[in-house]
Structure formats: structure tokens, C-alpha cells
Amino acid sequence: MQYIIKTIAGLSLLMLPGFILAQSTYLPQNSKHQQLLDRLEIMLQSNNDLNLSTVKPLSRRIAARIGLYADSVQNNGGNLLSAVDQYNVRSLLMNNSEWVPGDKSAFASKKSIWNTFYRTKANFLEVDEKDFFLAVNPVIQQQQSIENDNDERIFVNSKGLTLRGMIAERVGFSAYITDNQERGPQFVQDRVIQYDAVPGVGFYKDFKTTATDYIDARGSVHFTAAKYLDFQFGYDKNFIGNGYRSLFLSDFGNSYLFLKINTRIWKLNYMNLFMELVPQTVDISAGNKVLDNKYAVIHHLSMNVTKWLNIGIFESVVFGRKNRFSISYLNPIIFLRATEQQNGSADNALIGLDFKANVAKRLQFYGQFLLDEFLLREIRAGDGWWANKFGIQLGGKYINAFGVKNLDLQGEMNILRPFTYSHFDSVSNYTHYNQPMAHPLGANLVEAIGIMRYQPHPKWTASGRLILWKQGADTASSNVGTNIFRLNTDRPAGEYGYDLPNGPRTTGVNAQLLVSYELKENVYLEASALIRRLKTAITGTPDLNTSVITAGIRINMFRREYDY
């Protein structure tokens, strides 16, 4: 990151060792234990650790503490967990064993390799000694797919390693690196061409004409100071929210360099996130050139106002200076919008509210309200003023649905007005490395998501996902507010008349069924079917329909998804 943030991180490491306490790395992106944590949050209903967990990923220390608490409730006759939940809690503790006190013999493998490898069930190589912990694991994903009307082979080939460690309970570190070759379904290939970006990753090279080759490398260092402050400095992703999507910050796009300061005390959780990003760039994958930078600062404050209700406040600003950070945004307390105004109101500031409520130990309701820009008199007029830019998310989760153990349902609605996230300066739009930082479809949309997850047996999991959306379609001669990379000053249709969704309608369906079998700890055999339908009202544009059947194996990593 720009030298000021690097300096702050460096000085923090030098000045705070006397105050550093036990620290923790974080759960990986889309951790297999996230569904268990979501269930426990609803079942426990009033657990402060979980109710404050709007910012993800979650600390491994906190995740283990939650698992130990749930296990103690069960052992004390709480009748909280099903047999499958108990298995998943043991798996959570096994995969975060550095934070499990006492006897850990239950995590040991029956037979290790050369008394060195797989001494524990969860880790290929584990060192757990006084003042030093290290876990190293291979990372593999092999997917082979068949797509209708496509003679080319669809595949994902990922291989690499992941590691995490802790030194003297003072400094933690984590790293993840994979080498990847991928040919996605045709709609994914079209998106790569349209944006010159592979979803979720950065620099890439062409591979076998229509496939891509890329390295996904992430890493960070961690420490906890003064008991309540967690610091993380690294290159990775973050997510803010309780839903499948996030209108504030998602993990859809490429990783970025960041400094995160998270303060968790009493009923409050306050996060400061300083980010170095890459602005919209032509031929970003060409290589042999130094890319410019832009910057973002995000604050999120959440509070447990009751034992079952959490409310949060979000603010962010994205700004471009010629490879220079604006020092005024380093203030971790002051409202960013006020600072942005003092700087001349040239930057892209967003604010928002979010909530989640746990009800009857079976239900959770959640939502986000994002405000980019608006005038109340224009909203009252109802004329569709272009600069009334906002987004709304409402959702709910229902666990052990209809009395069926480990059957979980989730429904979510996302609405984004035209031109939300866009800006009059192409550098300051809400994007990074030619990809949106929030919703993968940009703006000017109405989306409904339904998810079913069922784990009838510890080893077997089935899930279904249905995504429906309507969105306006930009054309070469019109800007209806969908493409957040386009300048919002480019409005051939003028100031008014922007409905939701605005412009020629595009209707989409993305449906997936997935069955997974955990052969061994963190080793999955999977089969899935994906159907995607896209119909547009633009004259002369054909409908785009595809069906994909996939089989694969996945070890110690998240599943590659095409959910847009």
C-alpha cells in the first residue's frame, strides 16, 4: 500500500510488542464451517461473539471459542446440537486446534505418514510446540464439466498450498497460493472478455485460446494489542454483511492490499479498513507495465442493542490521487463524508445501515441499506431522478426448517437503483481491478435468491441455489445506469425517468444443485448441475442459455462458483 499506510503498519509492529496479547489468524474465504457458525448464531440467539460477526472472515480464536461454548452447552444438557452439528463442532475445533486448550488426542490420526505427515486429521503438517504453531496443507481443486452446445472442455485445475502459524502467541501469519488453469462456461468467458478480468482474481494470461491461467496468492500478518484491538496487514479479501450478497463490500472481486484494525469491546465491534486498489484499466492483463493505484477507506460500527438484535453503521470513500494516499482519511473516528466534503467533495462516498435479528432460535432476519446519493425532494417528486442512488437488501434464514434437523433455508432480495456505485470520475467508482467491489452484476437491478442446504449425515451435504434477476441493459448509445464503470455524467436520456430496473430489460435465472461427500477431513468429492438462462429485450440480441454438469474433487479450499 501507499507508503503512509505501510509506515503505520510498520510502526505499529515496532511500538506495540509490549502490549501484544494472544492473536489469531482468520478462517479462510467461504470456510466450510461458516454454515455451522450461522446455525449456532441463531440457535444460541444471544451469543455476543456471533451477534457481532458482521465483518468476515471471522477470527479463528473467536470461532474456536464459539465451538467450545456450544459444546459445553450440549454437554451440560442443553440439547442444542444434533448429531451432525456435534460432528461439525468437532471438525471446527480440530481445524482450529491452536485455540483448543487441554487434551487434543481426539484430533490425532490413527496412522501418520513417517510419523511426520498427517499426525492430525486436519493438517498435512502440524507443529504445535511451546511458542510456535504451524499448519501446512496442500490445496487442490479439479473440476471437469460438460456444457451443452460447447465442444470445448470446461475445467478448473487448481493446485497450491496454504499455511498458518503463530509465534510466541504474539504474531500470527497466514498464506495461500494456487496456480490455476480455468475454462469457465461460455457466459463466464464472455464476462472475462467484456471486463478484461477473471472474476475473483487479478492478473491472468490466456491459456489454450479460450481458457485462462492465473496465480491466486494471499497472505497477511496478525496481532492483537491492548486486549481488544486486532490488527491485520495483508493482501486478501473481506466481506461485510450477513447475506449471500453484500451491498457494502463483497469477496467477489480480486484481493487487495489492506490494513484492518478491528476493535471489539463490550457490545461494540468497530472496523477500520484502509485499502489500496487498482482503477479501471484498459488491457489490464497485457503485463509489462506498472498499474496505477487508487484508495478506499471503510468504517463499520456494529452494536448489540439487545441480546438478539445487532445494528450497524457503514461508511466508505473511494478516491483517486496520483498514486498518493489522502492523509485526512487516516483519521479512524471522524465521519468520512465530512472529510470528503472538506476535501472538495470530489470523491465517491457511500454510507449505509445494516441489521440482523435472531428470533425464536430458529429464524434470523437481516438487511442492508446503502445510500450513495439522493435528494429527498426528488424522491418525493417520484420523477426518477438519476442521482437518487441507493440499494436495499432484505433476507431471512430458517434453520431446522419444518422440524427437519440440519435442513436450512435462506431467502434474500437485493435492489440497486441505476448509477449506484458509479461516479463522475472513472478512478473513483466502486470497483477494483476491473471488477465490482459489491454486487457482481453492478447496479440497476432487482434480484431474488433462494438457498436450501441439507446435511442428513456428517459426510453428506446437498444444496440448491436459485437466483432470479431483472436488470436494465446498457447499449453502445445509451447508459441506463447498469455498468458502474461508465461515467454517470454520460446520460443521453437526461436527468429524469430512471425506473427500476431502467432501460431494456434483461431477465436472468441461475440455478444450481450440488451434492458433496467429505471423503476425509477437508477432502470433498462433488457433483453439480448448473442451469443459466438470460433473456434480453434488446432487438437482435439472442437469448443466452446454458446447462453445465460438473464433477470434481476439492481439498482444503473453497469451491469455485459461477453465481451471476
Side-chain angles (χ1 to χ4, degrees):
M1 189 175 287
Q2 191 266 353
Y3 75 94
I4 292 176
I5 298 184
K6 289 180 180 177
T7 301
I8 290 175
L11 289 175
S12 298
L13 288 170
L14 290 173
M15 296 173 63
L16 292 173
F19 302 93
I20 293 174
L21 306 173
Q23 54 66 51
S24 174
T25 57
Y26 291 80
L27 294 175
Q29 179 185 4
N30 295 327
S31 165
K32 73 172 187 176
H33 298 115
Q34 187 59 54
Q35 182 61 20
L36 169 67
L37 293 169
D38 289 346
R39 287 175 52 81
L40 290 177
E41 180 175 5
I42 298 171
M43 286 189 285
L44 294 170
Q45 186 161 328
S46 59
N47 181 275
N48 265 345
D49 280 332
L50 285 168
N51 292 352
L52 284 171
S53 62
T54 299
V55 177
K56 299 176 179 67
L58 188 66
S59 158
R60 288 181 181 271
R61 172 167 49 92
I62 293 176
R65 188 164 69 204
I66 293 165
L68 290 168
Y69 175 71
D71 194 47
S72 68
V73 172
Q74 181 71 18
N75 292 337
N76 291 327
N79 196 27
L80 175 74
L81 307 173
S82 68
V84 171
D85 289 328
Q86 293 177 56
Y87 174 88
N88 290 335
V89 168
R90 287 194 295 271
S91 175
L92 171 67
L93 298 177
M94 184 188 308
N95 283 272
N96 300 279
S97 60
E98 63 267 41
W99 297 107
V100 179
D103 182 18
K104 303 179 187 179
S105 59
F107 303 156
S109 299
K110 292 181 179 179
K111 184 181 291 186
S112 64
I113 301 174
W114 302 328
N115 199 33
T116 301
F117 304 113
Y118 284 114
R119 295 175 64 182
T120 63
K121 298 174 185 178
N123 296 313
F124 173 73
L125 175 64
E126 181 176 314
V127 180
D128 193 354
E129 303 287 347
K130 184 179 183 300
D131 290 339
F132 185 61
F133 176 87
L134 176 68
V136 181
N137 284 292
V139 173
I140 296 172
Q141 183 165 200
Q142 296 286 338
Q143 288 186 6
Q144 298 293 326
S145 306
I146 300 174
E147 183 177 21
N148 69 307
D149 299 327
N150 191 346
D151 295 332
E152 292 186 310
R153 184 168 57 94
I154 306 302
F155 62 89
V156 174
N157 171 23
S158 301
K159 60 278 185 190
L161 64 84
T162 181
L163 62 87
R164 72 181 191 274
M166 180 167 54
I167 301 172
E169 295 191 351
R170 288 178 176 268
V171 178
F173 57 90
S174 61
Y176 166 97
I177 182 168
T178 57
D179 176 61
N180 309 268
Q181 294 77 43
E182 176 183 21
R183 178 184 289 123
Q186 189 59 55
F187 71 92
V188 178
Q189 297 179 39
D190 293 342
R191 185 181 179 107
V192 173
I193 294 172
Q194 179 183 2
Y195 293 101
D196 190 21
V198 177
V201 297
F203 178 80
Y204 72 94
K205 297 182 291 185
D206 292 333
F207 178 73
K208 294 186 176 181
T209 309
T210 55
T212 56
D213 186 312
Y214 56 88
I215 292 176
D216 187 0
R218 315 179 194 183
S220 57
V221 293
H222 323 255
F223 64 88
T224 298
K227 189 177 180 178
Y228 303 109
L229 279 77
D230 293 327
F231 289 75
Q232 182 183 9
F233 183 61
Y235 186 84
D236 210 324
K237 305 183 184 187
N238 294 274
F239 186 97
I240 301 175
N242 305 289
Y244 187 79
R245 306 288 197 200
S246 174
L247 305 188
F248 296 169
L249 178 66
S250 78
D251 54 12
F252 170 77
N254 185 28
S255 300
Y256 40 82
L257 195 65
F258 67 90
L259 170 64
K260 180 165 67 176
I261 306 172
N262 198 83
T263 306
R264 182 179 289 230
I265 186 171
W266 187 54
K267 300 178 181 181
L268 299 172
N269 191 89
Y270 183 46
M271 182 201 69
N272 293 267
L273 186 63
F274 306 93
M275 309 158 66
E276 180 181 81
L277 309 172
V278 175
Q280 182 178 350
T281 304
V282 178
D283 294 330
I284 200 169
S285 62
N288 297 320
K289 62 180 178 181
V290 177
L291 299 177
D292 287 333
N293 295 126
K294 67 179 184 180
Y295 305 93
V297 178
I298 292 176
H299 296 164
H300 185 269
L301 172 66
S302 65
M303 178 179 178
N304 290 337
V305 295
T306 72
K307 291 182 178 181
W308 52 270
L309 176 64
N310 178 274
I311 294 178
I313 301 173
F314 162 86
E315 61 174 353
S316 72
V317 62
V318 181
F319 55 96
R321 308 288 188 266
K322 189 62 176 178
N323 299 320
R324 176 179 66 83
F325 194 89
S326 181
I327 298 177
S328 57
Y329 289 127
L330 288 176
N331 191 320
I333 303 299
I334 195 168
F335 287 106
L336 293 174
R337 175 57 177 158
T339 304
E340 189 258 350
Q341 289 177 330
Q342 293 296 324
N343 288 343
S345 296
D347 302 323
N348 190 7
L350 306 173
I351 60 174
L353 300 172
D354 61 75
F355 78 92
K356 61 178 172 181
N358 298 315
V359 179
K361 299 185 178 181
R362 283 291 185 90
L363 300 168
Q364 181 184 90
F365 300 100
Y366 62 88
Q368 293 181 332
F369 174 67
L370 174 78
L371 185 59
D372 189 341
E373 187 177 355
F374 87 108
L375 285 177
L376 183 59
R377 68 172 183 271
E378 295 288 0
I379 291 179
R380 288 174 174 173
D383 294 328
W385 188 47
W386 75 274
N388 284 335
K389 302 179 291 182
F390 58 85
I392 299 173
Q393 177 187 89
L394 291 173
K397 301 174 184 178
Y398 178 22
I399 65 170
N400 300 324
F402 312 112
V404 179
K405 293 181 179 180
N406 296 96
L407 172 63
D408 301 337
L409 305 179
Q410 181 177 357
E412 181 174 302
M413 177 74 73
N414 295 297
I415 299 172
L416 285 164
R417 282 276 303 165
F419 300 104
T420 305
Y421 304 120
S422 65
H423 201 245
F424 60 77
D425 176 4
S426 63
V427 173
S428 297
N429 53 36
Y430 207 66
T431 68
H432 165 53
Y433 218 95
N434 288 6
Q435 299 172 62
M437 289 169 55
H439 199 289
L441 296 180
N444 189 21
L445 63 91
V446 177
E447 177 188 55
I449 302 174
I451 300 171
M452 178 278 295
R453 301 182 183 93
Y454 183 43
Q455 190 177 3
H457 183 273
K459 298 288 188 180
W460 287 95
T461 303
S463 65
R465 183 188 67 223
L466 177 64
I467 303 175
L468 308 172
W469 72 92
K470 289 186 177 181
Q471 186 173 32
D474 290 317
T475 66
S477 59
S478 68
N479 180 8
V480 298
T482 297
N483 186 347
I484 65 176
F485 293 91
R486 297 182 65 169
L487 301 181
N488 58 31
T489 53
D490 174 23
R491 301 185 308 275
E495 298 279 314
Y496 296 95
Y498 293 92
D499 300 321
L500 180 65
N502 182 54
R505 299 288 176 87
T506 295
T507 303
V509 178
N510 186 312
Q512 177 186 265
L513 291 174
L514 170 67
V515 177
S516 298
Y517 176 72
E518 190 172 19
L519 183 65
K520 289 183 176 297
E521 189 70 26
N522 300 318
V523 179
Y524 288 88
L525 301 178
E526 297 180 319
S528 66
L530 172 69
I531 297 175
R532 187 178 187 269
R533 302 284 183 263
L534 192 69
K535 183 177 182 180
T536 180
I538 299 176
T539 304
T541 302
D543 296 343
L544 301 175
N545 302 322
T546 188
S547 301
V548 182
I549 303 296
T550 301
I553 182 172
R554 178 168 55 90
I555 303 174
N556 293 312
M557 73 174 293
F558 56 89
R559 175 180 166 82
R560 184 66 161 152
E561 295 284 5
Y562 307 116
D563 53 356
Y564 41 85

